[in-house]
């Protein structure tokens, strides 16, 4: 099916149109239509997975003219590769779970809530599959609107503050990216580029100083979305005030937009600037890992603790990306998936307990394992996956990140960051101990009911993926690897690393046939021209 990506992406909009014809009071019908729509979207995404060929090329590509206005030409250009494939599948996998989590949690304005969820799904899928810079920007901004309403209308007591903060942070960064995007387009027009298609810009020769400014603009937008220290302060407030489904989607999918933006756009488009900013990015990532872990230790609110754990985990992802080698980048992309599953599950668990007790304070709990044994087992498995216990999904990603970082120029950053693994075990296990063990002396906790069939059904797919990714991650890694190597080539990492590691051995061969060594890595002749200057 040649237009399978478009069908999958816009199926949720069909669900929105169906919801418009259902009366507001018919909450059961509204929820059912939203659930069926997300399940059908997930099923529609499976042929993409089964039909994907393991190579570095963009697949299922659709590229047709869209907008032509003066000097600007935008195309509806979409496709996927190994980097975006699993993020697309993660999105369609998480959305039915998010809808199911709202079954009893949202009773007010159910119709509008379900419409927001479905529009958000289309926006997220569109961002992951866009191969046109302008199209990507439209989907990137579209994501803000439904999430803005979800937090602002169905959020907690401080929802307005959290909503405005979330919107301002993300919008400011996005506007700077738009300016850089337009400037990049005009640079391209001077060399014959006629539209915003991403592939046209990979070989565009940009002066190092210009790269610095363009990378900074793109990186700011993506760093806010990750979020990286010190641009992370909107996230704990947004997570804490958002409804359960909003928190799950924010953690499992939307934060991945930031890390995806770095590897899809900022790194391959601006390779010299990538190397220039690597020490700064790594430093901020390590600070974020340790700072967020220390702050998480002292949190009294379970949901805010999990929110800060997201900042720490995504700090590891950024460290892996900027290790600029295959192990580090592979670990980072795998950890993207792992974080989406484990942290999404943690927010669901917090939502289950909040529906029963209407409190998230750790001090209000204790001894829940006696009253809720099924809940305790599931909570324990997810907690252990979050602290990267071997055999669970979190271990594989963190291990590859640390190996990749240690073998790169970021060795000392990696050594310091590894303390975050220990801190994660401290704050997660300490929280679990205080909530689940001890005396069941609070009368309100003594009347709590264990998980029902719907809640167990929500958690089972996530638990399965925790162990599948932890025990046998190779099928996931294999589909990523060619695309990762391609990004590394675009960022011109391999030649730089080889020259630094073994200059005496490489130099004679480079003098005999420099073109033979440079051509397989990158078609642009800049690296070959730089070598004589270095000597």
């Amino acid at each position: 099916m040649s237009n399978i990506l478009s069908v999958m992406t816009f199926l949720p909009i069909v669900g929105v149109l169906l919801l418009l014809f259902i009366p507001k009071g018919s909450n059961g019908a509204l929820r059912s239509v939203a659930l069926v729509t997300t399940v059908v979207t997930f099923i529609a995404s499976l042929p993409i997975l089964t039909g994907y060929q393991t190579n570095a090329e963009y697949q299922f590509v659709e590229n047709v003219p869209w907008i032509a206005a003066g000097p600007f030409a935008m195309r509806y250009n979409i496709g996927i590769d190994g980097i975006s494939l699993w993020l697309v599948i993660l999105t369609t996998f998480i959305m039915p779970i998010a809808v199911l989590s709202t079954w009893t949690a949202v009773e007010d304005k159910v119709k509008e809530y379900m419409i927001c969820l479905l529009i958000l799904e289309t926006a997220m899928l569109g961002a992951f599959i866009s191969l046109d810079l302008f199209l990507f920007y439209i989907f990137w901004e579209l994501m803000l609107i439904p999430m803005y309403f979800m937090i602002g209308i169905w959020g907690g007591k401080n929802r307005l503050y959290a909503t405005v903060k979330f919107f301002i942070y993300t919008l400011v960064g996005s506007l700077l990216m738009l300016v850089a995007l337009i400037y990049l387009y005009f640079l391209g027009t001077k060399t014959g580029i006629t539209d915003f298609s991403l592939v046209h810009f990979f070989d565009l020769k940009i002066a190092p100083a210009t790269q610095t400014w363009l990378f900074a603009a793109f990186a700011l937008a993506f760093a806010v979305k990750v979020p990286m220290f010190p641009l992370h302060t909107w996230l704990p407030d947004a997570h804490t005030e958002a409804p359960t489904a909003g928190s799950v989607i924010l953690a499992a999918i939307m934060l991945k937009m930031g890390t995806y933006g770095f590897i899809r756009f900022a790194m391959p488009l601006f390779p010299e600037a990538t190397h220039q900013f690597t020490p700064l990015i790594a430093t901020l990532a390590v600070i974020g890992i340790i700072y967020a872990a220390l702050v998480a230790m002292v949190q009294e609110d379970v949901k805010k603790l999990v929110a800060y754990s997201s900042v720490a985990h995504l700090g590891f992802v950024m460290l892996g990306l900027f290790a600029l080698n295959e192990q580090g980048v592979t670990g980072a992309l795998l950890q993207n998936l792992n974080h989406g599953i484990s942290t999404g599950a943690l927010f669901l668990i917090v939502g289950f307990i909040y529906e029963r007790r209407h409190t998230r304070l750790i001090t209000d709990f204790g001894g829940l394992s006696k009253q809720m044994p099924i809940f305790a087992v599931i909570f324990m498995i997810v907690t252990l996956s979050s602290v990267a216990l071997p055999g669970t999904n979190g271990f594989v990603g963190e291990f590859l990140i640390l190996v990749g970082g240690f073998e790169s120029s970021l060795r000392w950053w990696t050594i310091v960051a590894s303390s975050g693994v220990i801190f994660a075990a401290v704050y997660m296990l300490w929280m679990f101990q205080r909530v689940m063990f001890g005396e069941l002396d609070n009368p309100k906790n003594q009347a709590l009911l264990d998980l029902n069939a719907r809640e167990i059904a929500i958690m089972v797919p996530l638990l399965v993926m925790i162990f599948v990714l932890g025990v046998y991650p190779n099928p996931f890694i294999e589909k990523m690897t060619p695309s990762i190597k391609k990004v590394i080539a675009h960022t011109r990492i391999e030649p730089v690393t080889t020259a630094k590691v073994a200059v005496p051995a490489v130099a004679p061969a480079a003098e005999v046939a420099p073109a033979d060594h440079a051509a397989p890595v990158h078609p642009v002749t800049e690296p070959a021209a730089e070598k004589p200057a270095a000597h």
Side-chain angles (χ1 to χ4, degrees):
M1 192 175 182
S2 59
N3 58 348
I4 183 65
L5 286 182
S6 291
V7 171
M8 173 198 69
T9 302
F10 293 104
L11 262 175
I13 300 301
V14 176
V16 170
L17 296 176
L18 293 175
L19 290 175
L20 294 177
F21 292 98
I22 300 177
K24 277 194 173 183
S26 305
N27 291 347
L30 292 166
R31 295 185 182 110
S32 299
V33 169
L35 177 61
V36 170
T37 301
T38 54
V39 170
V40 171
T41 304
F42 173 65
I43 294 171
S45 71
L46 295 179
I48 298 171
L49 179 59
T50 56
Y52 182 83
Q53 302 296 317
T54 304
N55 58 54
E57 302 304 316
Y58 294 114
Q59 300 177 36
F60 305 102
V61 173
E62 301 172 43
N63 188 0
V64 295
W66 180 35
I67 300 174
F72 295 101
M74 301 79 159
R75 301 182 67 85
Y76 180 73
N77 187 0
I78 60 174
I80 59 168
D81 64 355
I83 293 171
S84 54
L85 170 66
W86 292 116
L87 292 173
V88 167
I89 300 300
L90 176 67
T91 303
T92 60
F93 174 76
I94 289 292
M95 288 306 296
I97 294 173
V99 172
L100 269 176
S101 73
T102 68
W103 220 254
T104 57
V106 175
E107 297 290 346
D108 186 38
K109 298 183 176 66
V110 174
K111 183 174 184 176
E112 292 83 354
Y113 190 81
M114 295 301 169
I115 289 174
C116 285
L117 281 176
L118 295 180
I119 293 175
L120 183 58
E121 181 173 17
T122 288
M124 293 185 298
L125 289 172
F128 285 134
I129 65 174
S130 294
L131 300 181
D132 181 279
L133 289 168
F134 193 80
L135 183 64
F136 168 77
Y137 184 80
I138 289 175
F139 282 121
W140 173 273
E141 291 293 83
L142 180 60
M143 287 186 294
L144 296 182
I145 300 171
M147 184 56 72
Y148 174 87
F149 287 118
M150 286 175 66
I151 300 174
I153 297 175
W154 295 277
K157 295 179 181 178
N158 297 320
R159 59 185 181 273
L160 295 181
Y161 169 77
T163 303
V164 172
K165 193 173 182 181
F166 160 72
F167 197 81
I168 290 175
Y169 266 74
T170 50
L171 184 63
V172 169
S174 299
L175 289 176
L176 289 174
M177 180 175 69
L178 177 61
V179 173
L181 190 154
I182 294 172
Y183 185 83
L184 179 65
Y185 175 74
F186 278 111
L187 282 180
T189 58
K190 296 177 182 179
T191 63
I193 293 175
T194 57
D195 57 61
F196 281 90
S197 294
L198 176 64
V199 293
H200 295 337
F201 296 92
F202 283 147
D203 295 327
L204 182 64
K205 295 181 180 179
I206 306 174
T210 305
Q211 281 198 35
T212 299
W213 288 106
L214 292 176
F215 180 91
F218 274 78
L220 180 64
F222 300 143
V224 168
K225 191 75 81 175
V226 170
M228 292 186 67
F229 178 91
L231 303 172
H232 67 284
T233 57
W234 65 269
L235 181 67
D237 293 315
H239 265 317
T240 304
E241 301 304 325
T244 298
S247 293
V248 171
I249 295 169
L250 192 59
I253 307 168
M254 287 187 69
L255 300 188
K256 310 304 175 293
M257 294 293 171
T259 54
Y260 173 77
F262 273 104
I263 192 168
R264 170 66 76 224
F265 301 102
M267 293 168 63
L269 287 175
F270 315 114
E272 284 85 1
T274 297
H275 291 282
Q276 178 186 346
F277 277 91
T278 291
L280 175 62
I281 298 288
T283 300
L284 294 178
V286 172
I287 292 173
I289 291 168
I290 297 174
Y291 167 80
L294 294 176
V295 174
M297 286 184 195
V298 299
Q299 293 304 310
E300 298 179 355
D301 186 315
V302 181
K303 199 172 188 182
K304 190 164 280 191
L305 184 150
V306 177
Y308 276 106
S309 77
S310 284
V311 178
H313 287 152
L314 287 160
F316 277 108
V317 173
M318 291 303 299
L319 187 65
L321 287 180
F322 281 82
L324 304 178
N325 57 33
E326 191 176 330
Q327 296 98 321
V329 176
T330 301
L333 295 183
L334 196 61
Q335 197 64 3
N336 260 345
L337 303 180
N338 297 336
H339 176 265
I341 292 168
S342 298
T343 306
L346 282 173
F347 279 116
L348 286 169
I349 286 169
V350 174
F352 294 157
I353 201 67
Y354 182 76
E355 285 184 46
R356 288 162 168 78
R357 284 282 280 110
H358 299 288
T359 180
R360 295 186 298 261
L361 295 179
I362 296 175
T363 53
D364 290 336
F365 300 110
L368 294 190
S369 60
K370 300 180 179 67
Q371 188 68 22
M372 306 172 68
I374 298 175
F375 176 80
V377 171
I378 293 175
F379 195 0
M380 179 190 69
I381 294 171
V382 175
T383 299
L384 294 177
S385 77
S386 184
V387 301
L389 182 77
T392 64
N393 57 340
F395 173 76
V396 182
E398 283 194 8
F399 178 77
L400 287 173
I401 289 170
L402 294 176
V403 170
F406 193 79
E407 292 184 350
S408 72
S409 61
L410 302 178
R411 175 169 296 185
W412 290 106
W413 283 267
T414 306
I415 291 172
V416 176
S418 61
S419 63
V421 178
I422 301 171
F423 290 144
V426 172
Y427 64 73
M428 288 300 299
L429 294 177
W430 189 32
M431 177 271 292
F432 183 80
Q433 178 190 26
R434 288 179 290 167
V435 171
M436 302 310 300
F437 298 122
E439 295 298 324
L440 187 65
D441 51 9
N442 189 325
K444 294 181 180 179
N445 294 334
Q446 294 171 2
L448 292 179
L449 297 176
D450 209 344
L451 299 186
N452 57 39
R454 175 184 62 86
E455 292 166 333
I456 294 173
I458 290 173
M459 297 304 298
V460 166
L462 297 171
L463 296 178
V464 170
M465 292 310 301
I466 284 173
F467 289 111
V468 168
L469 277 162
V471 174
Y472 190 50
N474 205 45
F476 299 86
I477 295 174
E478 283 180 345
K479 291 190 181 295
M480 295 178 187
T481 301
S483 298
I484 290 172
K485 291 179 177 179
K486 185 177 180 179
V487 170
I488 289 174
H490 277 306
T491 316
R492 295 200 294 272
I493 296 163
E494 295 297 344
V496 173
T497 304
T498 304
K500 285 185 178 179
V501 173
V503 172
V506 173
E511 291 172 5
V512 174
D516 291 340
H517 289 280
V521 177
H522 199 277
V524 179
T525 57
E526 279 184 321
E530 289 172 3
K531 287 183 180 179
H535 291 292

